[in-house]
Amino acid sequence: MIRLVGILVGLGFTFVVLLAFAFGFANWASDDTPPTAESVFHLAPKHVEFEHDGLFPSWDLAQLQRGYQVYKEVCSACHSLNQIAFRNLSELGYNEDEVKAEAANWVVPGVDPNTGEASTRPGTPTDNFPRPYANDVAARAANNNAIPPDLSLMTKARHHGPAYVYSLLTGYQEPSAELLASYPEAAPATGLHHNPYFANLNLAMAPPLTADGQVTYADGTEASIDQMAQDVAAFLTWTAEPSLVERKRAGWPVLGFLLFATILAWLAKKQVWANAKPKRKED
């Protein structure tokens, strides 16, 4: 009786699932909502490869240092990096004196010890990267009423994060004639810039990388727009997850241990049940 009830419950559950799927499929098939400009002209991120990708990743420290230089000289004018402290730059290959010198090049909020009033001072290794604007009102006023997002976790907050950042930085262009003909309302309004890799196709951020050689790399690498975009995308991958490479590398010993434990458990099972005989079914 219990078995019969279980079978009936299972059949009922299966029927409900199939019915829900059928209704959902019917609604999807009959959906006559007209396509939007975003659904037609929004592009998936470009393919780009980094050394921290793949099964055997590593950080390209030279690239991370170049990416930091791009952030410092270009992106930091609008975007904060408030989850990262200057001392973290030691993970990019900078020594202690270089970290101190880098921190001192930045101006951070402080307090006048004599008056207690707000002031500014050179940064120290223990400080986090400062915000470029005093508050959100100032940020909106300087950016067409849009607040530039913090970049600390940007590559974790966006699907295909590093590729998204790279594609966005290299994707600014004029709207295509096909887009304007089919969706004239999608033309960028005053203060907006067309970029098919952005979800809404138009964004308030002007192209930050405007010309080759905009940054002069200390290691002599040619600073093309494509190269600068790759470098800052790699750097922002590191800021979002500094332990990315270590986490991926740790997976191999774990997989090895699990494989060894599985084989050991199988051999133990064979040993324990080696002399066991199947029980005869009584007549």
Side-chain angles (χ1 to χ4, degrees), residues 108-121:
V108 302
V111 176
D112 189 320
N114 298 317
T115 64
E117 296 181 352
S119 63
T120 58
R121 59 175 176 80

Side-chain angles (χ1 to χ4, degrees), residues 176-192:
S176 66
E178 183 183 0
L179 169 64
L180 296 179
S182 303
Y183 303 93
E185 70 279 3
T190 302
L192 298 181

Side-chain angles (χ1 to χ4, degrees), residues 227-247:
Q227 183 66 59
M228 290 185 288
Q230 288 190 46
D231 293 342
V232 76
F235 172 69
L236 293 178
T237 303
W238 172 80
T239 65
E241 191 174 3
S243 61
L244 172 68
V245 167
E246 290 74 12
R247 176 176 61 79

Side-chain angles (χ1 to χ4, degrees), residues 13 18 32 36 67 73 82 95 136 138 152 205-208 224 232 277:
F13 178 77
L18 291 175
D32 55 357
T36 62
E73 298 185 19
N82 55 36
N95 60 39
D136 288 350
S152 304
M205 182 176 72
S224 64
V232 76
K277 296 181 180 180

Side-chain angles (χ1 to χ4, degrees), residues 8-24:
L8 293 176
V9 170
L11 290 174
F13 178 77
T14 303
F15 175 76
V16 170
V17 171
L18 291 175
L19 192 63
F21 176 77
F23 274 109

Side-chain angles (χ1 to χ4, degrees), residues 137-173:
V137 175
R140 288 185 184 278
N143 294 278
N144 195 30
N145 204 36
I147 300 176
D150 179 77
L151 297 182
S152 304
L153 304 176
M154 183 55 64
T155 59
K156 299 290 284 185
R158 298 292 184 270
H159 194 48
H160 300 302
Y164 167 80
V165 171
Y166 165 75
S167 301
L168 190 73
L169 292 175
T170 58
Y172 286 90
Q173 57 190 263

Side-chain angles (χ1 to χ4, degrees), residues 10-271:
L11 290 174
F13 178 77
T14 303
F15 175 76
V16 170
V17 171
L18 291 175
L19 192 63
F21 176 77
F23 274 109
F25 180 79
N27 290 335
W28 173 80
S30 63
D31 187 7
D32 55 357
T33 303
T36 62
E38 292 81 1
S39 65
V40 176
F41 290 94
H42 177 246
L43 300 179
K46 304 175 186 177
H47 176 72
V48 60
E49 294 183 353
F50 298 98
E51 287 196 19
H52 56 258
D53 294 330
L55 298 177
F56 303 97
S58 63
W59 291 121
D60 183 344
L61 295 183
Q63 183 175 50
L64 296 185
Q65 291 187 11
R66 293 196 302 269
Y68 165 63
Q69 187 176 349
V70 174
Y71 168 76
K72 178 175 65 174
E73 298 185 19
V74 180
C75 308
S76 64
C78 299
H79 295 276
S80 58
L81 201 67
N82 55 36
Q83 300 297 317
I84 302 297
F86 294 113
R87 63 172 178 268
N88 298 131
L89 294 177
S90 62
E91 300 176 26
L92 305 187
Y94 294 104
N95 60 39
E96 183 177 353
D97 292 335
E98 290 172 330
V99 170
K100 290 181 179 179
E102 281 295 328
N105 287 331
W106 294 74
V107 176
V108 302
V111 176
D112 189 320
N114 298 317
T115 64
E117 296 181 352
S119 63
T120 58
R121 59 175 176 80
T124 65
T126 57
D127 291 316
N128 284 19
F129 280 84
R131 300 174 184 271
Y133 302 104
N135 50 56
D136 288 350
V137 175
R140 288 185 184 278
N143 294 278
N144 195 30
N145 204 36
I147 300 176
D150 179 77
L151 297 182
S152 304
L153 304 176
M154 183 55 64
T155 59
K156 299 290 284 185
R158 298 292 184 270
H159 194 48
H160 300 302
Y164 167 80
V165 171
Y166 165 75
S167 301
L168 190 73
L169 292 175
T170 58
Y172 286 90
Q173 57 190 263
E174 292 297 322
S176 66
E178 183 183 0
L179 169 64
L180 296 179
S182 303
Y183 303 93
E185 70 279 3
T190 302
L192 298 181
H193 308 270
H194 182 70
N195 193 316
Y197 297 97
F198 188 68
N200 295 333
L201 302 182
N202 302 306
L203 70 164
M205 182 176 72
L209 303 177
T210 56
D212 294 341
Q214 188 172 345
V215 170
T216 301
Y217 284 137
D219 62 1
T221 300
E222 182 182 355
S224 64
I225 290 179
D226 188 85
Q227 183 66 59
M228 290 185 288
Q230 288 190 46
D231 293 342
V232 76
F235 172 69
L236 293 178
T237 303
W238 172 80
T239 65
E241 191 174 3
S243 61
L244 172 68
V245 167
E246 290 74 12
R247 176 176 61 79
K248 287 186 176 181
R249 288 176 177 174
W252 289 109
V254 171
L255 288 176
F257 170 77
L258 292 176
L259 178 61
F260 173 76
T262 301
I263 295 174
L264 191 65
W266 181 78
L267 293 175
K269 179 259 184 187
K270 296 290 289 184
Q271 178 66 27

